[in-house]
Amino acid sequence: MDKKEEVKEIPFYYEKHEDYLLNLDKTEERDAIGYYTNDHLRIPGGYWCIGALHLLNTTKDLKDKEMITFLKSCSTPSGGFGANLLQDPSMTSTHYVVLLFSLYKVIWNKETSEIEKIAQYVSHLQDKKTGSFKGDDWGEVDLRFMYCAVSSLKLLNQLSCFDVDKACEFILKCCNPDGAFGGVPGAESHAAYTFCAVGALAILNKLHLIDLDKLGQWLVKRQTTEGGFNGRPEKLPDVCYSWWILSALYMICLLYTSPSPRDATLSRMPSSA
């Protein structure tokens, strides 16, 4: 029997996913060590949960007022947000808050001065010489923070408050001969950092600066015999890497048209797709 005939469609259990997500904050193990070791994941977890519920078209029981109050309570005088109450602000947690505000349609109702304050926090983390962005005031730099910064400022309609040309210059320095991107210049190509580079350039309308065909070939070659995608050559596939790869492919508007990942050819999607 042909392998294609053996594949059975796996049902997607919308209700079970919905119930799982809506009950994530109803743990009865508040004294368990895991509850406290995940303390720094309150806002990131909130985004992934609420974002998933929106994708499921679920708007019930989202505790809008409660969540918005919590998010605002994580703000700091700097304009940035911590990942939980009384935590230091960072680029990633601020990005998650801006995304959540957008999902809750709060950001558009905030006073201009508050929007500018968040934008000033994000933009002050850019290194004026290299164009890179730090993750916080302590200085770690890589493409994750570049994407978080560009995405946040786009949602805040504040793209004019940072040096776009320098930012693009740094992104391009992270591009490798294989067409993909490492986290910093000279680092190994990686699916997550490639997504961040492509995402930032897409937001800035700068995708023409990179070789999309070469990048597309690297992306499709990440698919393994199991069907999923890995993040680097010779690694195992997983759902996380598959998300980075497919999202990057979507953004550069390429279609994977070959049944064999190793002999893949790419074709441009229509602009209306």
Side-chain angles (χ1 to χ4, degrees):
M1 181 181 291
D2 187 271
K3 287 187 177 180
K4 290 185 178 180
E5 296 179 6
E6 296 176 358
V7 176
K8 295 182 179 180
E9 183 177 347
I10 300 174
F12 188 86
Y13 299 102
Y14 284 88
E15 294 79 10
K16 289 187 176 181
H17 284 292
E18 180 181 300
D19 289 341
Y20 171 78
L21 293 165
L22 289 172
N23 285 284
L24 281 177
D25 67 340
K26 296 180 180 179
T27 178
E28 297 179 357
E29 299 180 358
R30 296 283 172 122
D31 293 329
I33 187 64
Y35 182 82
Y36 296 97
T37 56
N38 292 328
D39 187 64
H40 65 296
L41 298 175
R42 290 292 180 267
I43 282 181
Y47 167 71
W48 292 111
C49 178
I50 301 301
L53 287 168
H54 272 266
L55 290 173
L56 292 172
N57 293 318
T58 297
T59 56
K60 65 180 182 181
D61 301 323
L62 292 188
K63 302 180 180 179
D64 297 33
K65 293 182 178 179
E66 181 181 335
M67 189 64 177
I68 292 168
T69 298
F70 170 70
L71 293 175
K72 290 182 176 180
S73 68
C74 293
S75 64
T76 68
S78 67
F81 291 79
N84 203 341
L85 300 173
L86 303 176
Q87 294 194 4
D88 292 326
S90 70
M91 180 71 81
T92 51
S93 55
T94 299
H95 181 222
Y96 280 127
V97 170
V98 172
L99 289 169
L100 281 164
F101 277 159
S102 297
L103 287 174
Y104 282 117
K105 303 187 185 302
V106 172
I107 200 73
W108 319 124
N109 298 323
K110 293 172 70 66
E111 295 179 5
T112 302
S113 60
E114 290 182 305
I115 291 176
E116 291 179 347
K117 192 173 182 180
I118 299 173
Q120 287 171 4
Y121 169 77
V122 172
S123 61
H124 102 278
L125 291 174
Q126 185 180 33
D127 185 313
K128 306 307 178 186
K129 293 182 179 180
T130 66
S132 63
F133 278 90
K134 300 185 293 185
D136 52 36
D137 287 321
W138 286 268
E140 182 184 8
V141 169
D142 66 43
L143 284 180
R144 291 173 299 168
F145 311 127
M146 175 69 71
Y147 173 71
C148 289
V150 173
S151 174
S152 296
L153 293 172
K154 173 65 174 181
L155 290 169
L156 293 167
N157 195 28
Q158 297 288 318
L159 285 177
S160 62
C161 72
F162 77 105
D163 191 329
V164 173
D165 291 336
K166 273 290 185 181
C168 291
E169 184 180 312
F170 177 79
I171 295 173
L172 294 179
K173 286 181 179 178
C174 297
C175 188
N176 291 315
D178 56 18
F181 296 79
V184 294
E188 179 186 7
S189 295
H190 188 285
Y193 292 119
T194 297
F195 163 84
C196 291
V198 173
L201 291 173
I203 291 171
L204 297 172
N205 294 317
K206 300 289 186 179
L207 283 176
H208 62 278
L209 296 177
I210 59 177
D211 187 332
L212 299 181
D213 290 320
K214 184 182 288 187
L215 171 59
Q217 290 289 345
W218 186 88
L219 290 169
V220 297
K221 287 177 180 178
R222 300 282 62 75
Q223 188 171 32
T224 68
T225 55
E226 290 89 347
F229 292 79
N230 59 27
R232 293 172 289 165
E234 306 305 325
K235 296 293 183 178
L236 295 173
D238 66 35
V239 174
C240 185
Y241 286 137
S242 298
W243 192 90
W244 302 125
I245 294 292
L246 291 171
S247 295
L249 280 169
Y250 182 85
M251 285 188 286
I252 64 175
C253 298
L254 292 171
L255 277 179
Y256 171 38
T257 61
S258 171
S260 173
R262 302 302 174 187
D263 301 314
T265 57
L266 302 169
S267 61
R268 294 274 186 260
M269 291 172 61
S271 59
S272 60

